[in-house]
Amino acid sequence: MSLRIEEWSIHQLSDADSEFPDSIHASLPALPPELQSLTVAFSYMSDTCAILKLGTLPPSLQYLEVSIPASDCSGLVDLQGLPESLRVLRIKEGMSFTKLVALPPHLQVLELDYHRNKQLPPLPQSLRKFHMGCLGYERSLPDLPPALEHLSLEYYRGPLPELPSTLKQLEVRRCTVQLPPVLPASLHSVCSTDNNRPELQLPGFRPAYGDFWVRIGEEGETSSTGSEA
């Protein structure tokens, strides 16, 4: 069972106990206990911050996405008490989070488009895809889980954690990270954009187009050291 709440206009509420008492607050209505997928898209015009309280989420929930599409506004979503059943968490397009104490143990996809400068909790061992927009984030990332296959970072300025041997795709956009001299053998492609970095050299990879590199030998690619007729 899926539920999409689109173009949700937020009403002005008061919350004296809130960390942000001057902001706009919204709470989700009661959700059906069998709900597996929930998408919430805000629509509001305000100079203040929107804060969404999720409350008690259904124990069967596997997919959660919260965003403010096509807006210059920003918002926070309270992520305390995420259900253990959650597999995909996407906080996108102007939304950040607060009160994230722990991530669900079976989470496979974590996408955080905009992350305020708060330390992330440890990433679950089950995580396969991790994306984070790090504008304003000045802390180190947690250790990467051993099963991670796709890592995507934007505006990250800290040290790059050790890359797991399972990694297949690496994206570092507008980052100042130093890539390791030897990349995991499992890695198929690298996308790296940084206008302040000298021309990138990736041994074992070739530029495919733009800032996208692929491993030599992948998908029929022949090594430059191979024999020619």
Side-chain angles (χ1 to χ4, degrees), residues 20-37:
F20 307 94
D22 296 328
S23 300
I24 295 176
H25 298 263
S27 299
L28 286 178
L31 299 171
E34 66 274 16
L35 189 67
Q36 294 183 323
S37 176

Side-chain angles (χ1 to χ4, degrees), residues 69-171:
S71 174
D72 293 331
C73 303
S74 63
L76 284 171
V77 56
D78 186 335
L79 291 182
Q80 61 180 333
L82 293 173
E84 292 190 357
S85 59
L86 201 64
R87 298 296 190 272
V88 178
L89 176 60
R90 292 188 166 112
I91 309 299
K92 303 173 67 65
E93 296 182 276
M95 292 297 295
S96 185
F97 61 85
T98 183
K99 298 182 181 179
L100 180 59
V101 178
L103 288 163
H106 306 296
L107 195 68
Q108 296 180 0
V109 176
L110 176 61
E111 297 182 5
L112 308 171
D113 274 7
Y114 175 65
H115 177 45
R116 295 173 183 268
N117 195 26
K118 292 186 178 181
Q119 185 65 47
L120 279 175
L123 300 176
Q125 299 294 293
S126 58
L127 200 65
R128 298 292 190 272
K129 180 179 181 180
F130 177 41
H131 164 78
M132 191 168 89
C134 308
L135 191 62
Y137 183 75
E138 299 176 354
R139 300 173 183 264
S140 297
L141 293 175
D143 292 339
L144 300 177
L148 193 69
E149 297 179 353
H150 187 169
L151 174 63
S152 174
L153 301 173
E154 290 188 84
Y155 299 104
Y156 182 56
R157 298 291 184 263
L160 191 66
E162 182 178 354
L163 301 178
S165 60
T166 54
L167 197 65
K168 296 180 180 179
Q169 294 177 275
L170 174 62
E171 299 178 45

Side-chain angles (χ1 to χ4, degrees), residues 163-200:
L163 301 178
S165 60
T166 54
L167 197 65
K168 296 180 180 179
Q169 294 177 275
L170 174 62
E171 299 178 45
V172 282
R173 302 177 185 273
R174 304 173 186 88
C175 298
T176 58
V177 299
Q178 183 69 37
L179 296 179
V182 179
L183 295 170
S186 59
L187 199 62
H188 295 168
S189 62
V190 177
C191 183
S192 177
T193 60
D194 184 356
N195 295 332
N196 297 320
R197 182 186 304 175
E199 186 173 350
L200 185 65

